[in-house]
Amino acid sequence: MPSPGDDARAERLRRLADARLYLCTPRRAEFSLFLDAVIGPPGRGGVDLVQLREKSLEWSDEVAALRRIQAAGAGQGTLVSANDRADLAAFAGVDILHVGQDDVPPEFARRIVGPDVLIGQSTHSPQEFVRALDDPNVDYVCVGPVHATPTKEGRPPVGLGLPLLAARHAPPFEAGAKPWFVTGGVAPDTLDDILATGARRVVVVRALTDAPDPGAMAADLARRLRAS
């Protein structure tokens, strides 16, 4: 008989499979209003996942910010991700832990967060992508940055070749294919070239955090991704 954890994991995987638009964001002024805008009302379309990414936060501040994201996404099916900190992800009860290549290895993170929390991993080369794709502890993969971006300072862009390779190895929405997202400089004017590689899921930062109307921008990006 499936356990409650099995049910929670299955539901998170279902929502992940349907996801297109992934927001990474630090806290900001009027954070709750911003989150309400980019998640959007039911039926309008907006971000499907929100990751809190602010490296210098104290434990209690990070938990409080994650709670605000959880509250904004309640009832909307929005997945909430912690960054790097497996212990904090387990404590806060988020849906996802995202790790980089230099963070806690997914196998060890799985021991901390348990079986029902999803784990994502960033990759920057074909070798890293294939390794993450084959890792049973990794539930989705990010590839990039495809363009230079100040949010990945010191990380050279990988160009569009890595998404092209990812699309061959894991065609989006093919049965059994692990989900993957393109990161790095994703914006309205770069989205078409990214979609031309076969990618169908993206991570955005400044396209929403710097937008004059974040809600309208989120709705437009979501529409374009779901129409592709």
Side-chain angles (χ1 to χ4, degrees), residues 3-71:
S3 70
D6 293 332
D7 292 341
R9 176 174 174 80
E11 174 59 17
R12 286 167 174 162
L13 287 171
R14 184 195 66 76
R15 287 149 58 193
L16 175 66
D18 186 57
R20 307 291 196 281
L21 187 58
Y22 188 153
L23 168 65
C24 283
T25 182
R27 297 172 302 169
R28 51 176 289 157
E30 299 182 327
F31 192 32
S32 294
L33 291 177
F34 169 74
L35 293 169
D36 288 341
V38 297
I39 292 170
R44 189 200 69 178
V47 300
D48 304 298
L49 296 84
V50 180
Q51 180 191 135
L52 178 68
R53 192 172 190 274
E54 191 170 344
K55 296 285 190 177
S56 60
L57 285 183
E58 297 289 346
W59 170 281
S60 59
D61 292 334
E62 191 159 356
V63 170
L66 287 169
R67 298 284 191 230
R68 292 176 74 180
I69 300 172
Q70 289 171 317

Side-chain angles (χ1 to χ4, degrees), residues 169-181:
H169 280 268
F173 311 114
E174 184 175 278
K178 188 172 289 188
W180 53 276
F181 296 78

Side-chain angles (χ1 to χ4, degrees), residues 20 195 200 221-228:
R20 307 291 196 281
L195 292 174
R200 293 296 180 265
L221 291 172
R223 177 190 59 77
R224 291 171 64 184
L225 286 163
R226 291 193 178 275
S228 60

Side-chain angles (χ1 to χ4, degrees), residues 25 29 41-42 61 71 96 107 123 136 146-147 161 171 173 192 200 207 219 224:
T25 182
D61 292 334
I96 296 169
E107 181 181 9
T123 65
V146 294
H147 300 291
F173 311 114
D192 285 343
R200 293 296 180 265
R224 291 171 64 184

Side-chain angles (χ1 to χ4, degrees), residues 29 40 45 49 77 86 90 120 122 124-125 129 184 186 188-189 193 195 206:
L49 296 84
S122 296
H124 317 292
S125 70
F129 176 77
V186 179
D189 60 340
D193 286 343
L195 292 174
R206 292 177 299 146

Side-chain angles (χ1 to χ4, degrees), residues 86-147:
D87 55 344
L88 190 143
F91 178 83
V94 296
D95 304 295
I96 296 169
L97 168 68
H98 189 85
V99 297
Q101 290 294 311
D102 298 323
D103 299 323
V104 57
E107 181 181 9
F108 187 76
R110 177 63 67 202
R111 300 183 203 173
I112 299 171
V113 300
D116 56 323
V117 173
L118 306 186
I119 296 177
Q121 187 173 41
S122 296
T123 65
H124 317 292
S125 70
Q127 295 80 8
E128 290 174 356
F129 176 77
V130 171
R131 187 162 58 244
L133 204 63
D134 292 339
D135 190 333
N137 293 294
V138 173
D139 297 296
Y140 73 85
V141 187
C142 287
V143 300
V146 294
H147 300 291

